[in-house]
Amino acid sequence: MANGVVEQYEKGQLNLDGTLGHLTTKEAGQLQILWRKLLEAFASDASELKDAPAAPADTAQSTAKRSMRAQASPSPAPSGKSSNSGSWFGFGASTKTEDESYRKTVGQVAPAGSSAPEFVAQGRARSIRDVFWAATLCDHPDVLVLRFLRARKWKVDDALKMLLACLRWRLDEEIDWVVWTGESALNYALMQRGIGAMHKTDRLGQPILYIPVRQNDPSAQPQEQMVDYTVYLMEVARIMLHPPAEKVCLLLDTTDMTMSNMDWTFFKTFLHYLEHYYPECLGLVLIYNASWVFNSLWKLICPLLDPVVASKVHFAQSTAELQKFIAPENLSVEYGGSNSYKYQYVLPRAGENAKMADVTARNTAMAARLAACDRLEAVTRKWAGIDSATSSSQTLSDERAAAADDLVVASRAMDKFVRARTLYHRTGVISDDLTIHW
């Protein structure tokens, strides 16, 4: 173990530098300046923001607005054809015929009455203010903003540009639709395979995201459904990331993988999203049991990695090495631990999203959250120096901290009215108030 990321595990202490409650005087000042610039932009039309950073070649793209695509009749699955679009330069491409499960969604299999009500897209122009407060979801706003500051090395203008580009992306890609609709629009076979299952935490308290590469088949579903699934995973992971553990531990299991399992398109899409839209969310990447196949591809992967991401990659060839990062009681038996967990997808249940159909209760919860946003925004304008203030800076900081906590409470109370229940709600990991029970 040599780098700073791994040293945290040796010491058993999470590095909290630059996170909420652990800022230097200079960093706190940079946060204040960024908020000032952001608030000054709040009234602008979000649709006039610059486009999000262009994705690299071979990155999966959404083919239409998600809400419109979901309402359209699914096109027939291709017959008698094989796909190599996601394989590594065509090597190891699957030759199997795509079957009826190719586009089948969870909503087509789940019992009646289990899906969320129809999503109502925002038809009116939305300000940057609207999109920002929607994007915070249940996060403490400073936690979200600080991610962009750290990602851009505390350069305020660069962080603001990155944040605004992310808001434009969330607006264009209808991320609020992904949150609202949940699993019903996702590929059923993909959900069953358990690529990206979250269970327990590592030795630093970071949620573990398991990716068994051998379960991946790039030809088994359309690329657009893989993109939707990627966004869904990241949005669900956000629920699990409560300070001080603001990042995930990704366990990439390459046991028994073949060339046909490696999805070039998905990998590049994942990296692009992680770098631009979900910054500072990755704590550690454990590559377990690296096979000769993976080792032969590693030279192709390395140039794609941001240096910061690359510093978080660690190879673990044995159970003993894994347990340096994950305690045995939190590691499944499959990986040499003592935890009996084994991934199994549980279908949505009839009535589980009934609260989303309660328009009166939903509007009440949304109004309460909007009022909390207004209160936090008002005190932040004074704290950031936009509006005149008679209170001392410490008093304003205390008022602002209380207002931010109130917003988090209001956001959690609203969540069950605007987010479809997930597998982790069904299995008791996430409660309605978003408390995590591993």
Side-chain angles (χ1 to χ4, degrees), residues 58 82-88 90 93 102 218-219 221 223 263-265:
D58 300 324
S82 62
S83 169
N84 64 359
S85 60
S87 61
W88 286 80
Y102 183 71
S219 69
Q221 62 282 315
Q223 282 188 358
D263 187 341
W264 175 258
T265 301

Side-chain angles (χ1 to χ4, degrees), residues 24-25 57 60-61 66 86 99 102 115 133 149 172 193 226 249 254 264 275 281 289 328 360 364 367 388 396:
T24 65
T25 301
Q61 305 292 323
R66 285 187 165 89
D99 57 29
Y102 183 71
S115 298
W133 289 124
L149 270 172
D172 289 346
R193 291 201 294 275
M226 198 67 185
C249 169
T254 68
W264 175 258
E275 179 180 353
C281 286
N289 203 17
T360 300
T364 299
S388 59
L396 283 174

Side-chain angles (χ1 to χ4, degrees), residues 29 127 179 258 279 289 342 356 360 385 409 412 434:
S127 67
V179 173
T258 65
N289 203 17
K342 188 173 183 180
M356 297 179 72
T360 300
V409 171
R412 292 187 174 197
L434 303 192

